[in-house]
Amino acid sequence: QVQLVESGGGLVQAGGSLRLSCAASGRPFNIGTMGWFRQAPGKEREFVAAIRWSGRGAYYADSVKGRFTISRDNAKNTVYLQIYSLKPVDTAVYYCAAARTTYYSGNLLPNNFGSWGQGTQVTVSS
């Protein structure tokens, strides 16, 4: 079982940037794909980005591509989400998720991931 802890959220002005972190723990564990989702009040949880734990595959939702970058540090068991040019519509709770399956494309759904963090709040003011 994988435990995930997000950090790095906060209140920022529109146009600003933020770097979210997700630390994974639990040994032994197998991770195929790490992902980020977000959920705004009254809305469904939506896919943001995902990255394979090995190899070079990274996938993004169309709505964030170009502004969001997902990366990882395998030695630290940590995945990051670098966000630039934040917009008020980016305001949401951002969740880190882990899947045993190695996915080779985007179009991922919450139920594709079996482990979740507690979420970190990102609020963008205008």
Side-chain angles (χ1 to χ4, degrees), residues 38-86:
R38 66 185 183 185
Q39 187 167 21
K43 296 185 178 180
E44 297 291 321
R45 189 167 299 189
E46 64 175 340
F47 171 71
V48 174
I51 188 169
R52 289 188 241 152
W53 200 241
S54 63
R56 300 178 180 272
Y59 319 104
Y60 300 92
D62 290 341
S63 61
V64 305
K65 191 173 183 178
R67 298 190 298 118
F68 288 38
T69 301
I70 188 170
S71 62
R72 67 175 191 265
D73 186 335
N74 295 68
K76 297 181 178 180
N77 293 325
T78 301
V79 64
Y80 305 95
L81 187 68
Q82 179 69 54
I83 311 174
Y84 295 103
S85 301
L86 278 158

Side-chain angles (χ1 to χ4, degrees), residues 2 6-7 11 15 26 33 37 63 84 95 109 111 122:
V2 177
E6 304 98 330
S7 62
L11 174 63
T33 306
F37 289 75
S63 61
Y84 295 103
Y95 296 93
L109 299 172
N111 60 13
V122 172

